[in-house]
Amino acid sequence: MLSVTFLGTSAARPTVERNVSAMALVREGETLLFECGEGTQRQMMRYGVSFALSEIFFTHFHADHFLGVIGLIRTLGLQTRAEPMTLYGPKGAKKLLAQALQLGVERVPFEVDVREVKPGDIIGSNRAPRTAYQIDVFATEHGGGSVGYALKEHERPGRFDPEKARAAGVPEGPLWGKLQRGETVGLADGRTVKAEGIVGPTRPGRVVVFTGDTRPCAAVVDAAQGADLLIHEATFGEEEKERAKETGHSTAREAAQVALAAKARRLVLSHVSARYSISADELVKEAREVFKETVVAKDGMTIEVPFPD
Ligand SMILES: [Zn+2]
Ligand SMILES: [Zn+2]
């Protein structure tokens, strides 16, 4: 299971319909939070996102992307949380988040580790080694060293063919498990059977890419190559494309061009300007002219990311 739930999809300020940026990614029962705009903790309660998370990833430090961390950490402290928490963000994260975490609380009763990341970094887990996936950090174009994150699952073993295993004389049981793991097995009659031919070629894992605020750029296209899901900001529509350029944001069409160039499977637009708060149909229409598999996020929307095969 891999899914994303949008907790906030409005640019710059909240509206009645949309809160500011935050997105929860749930993979095999583990919850990761990307951005934590003001009010995120309440959105988590509202949309059933677990507070049992240990990592938050920030793309940059504009107020609409991180102010919610102050209240969230305080609530977690009140819940007598003991597990440590790691916050990731670009240059400046240490100073800024340290200040934020001192606001309004005497002491955070659990360990909060802040790590500064830069494009090219691959984030391993702060505790157990992250064995099934990694998180790549890539550059975005929004000023101030902004970054995006790509969750990339490692390759999976190939498909096991029970008929072929039986035909090769391998009895059902622990030996099948060994074959599934790619090992060669020895049979009671002295023969050995290799996994090759019984287990198919390794299959790719899933890739989910989260840009945060950015102009359309080559670094995002590179990071999103073949992504199963690209979550790209689309603050503006075509009629405000000049404003998008001036403010370091993207239009829906520009986001679609990035998805097309990256050969992504699906595109979700988020971080929409308040004028599209009630209806973002115009953004979807403009994007779909370039990239058909586009939807615009809404608060509370969950999108499953299935394996392509
Ligand atoms: Zn923003
Ligand atoms: Zn921003």
Side-chain angles (χ1 to χ4, degrees), residues 63-74:
D64 58 320
H65 294 255
F66 83 99
L67 288 184
V69 76
I70 300 167
L72 176 62
I73 295 283
R74 181 169 187 277

Side-chain angles (χ1 to χ4, degrees), residues 275-295:
R275 65 182 296 180
Y276 305 106
S277 185
I278 294 173
S279 171
D281 291 351
E282 197 181 322
L283 298 181
V284 178
K285 186 170 163 283
E286 287 172 0
R288 281 193 185 154
E289 284 166 11
V290 176
F291 188 81
K292 208 169 145 286
E293 293 301 320
T294 305
V295 293

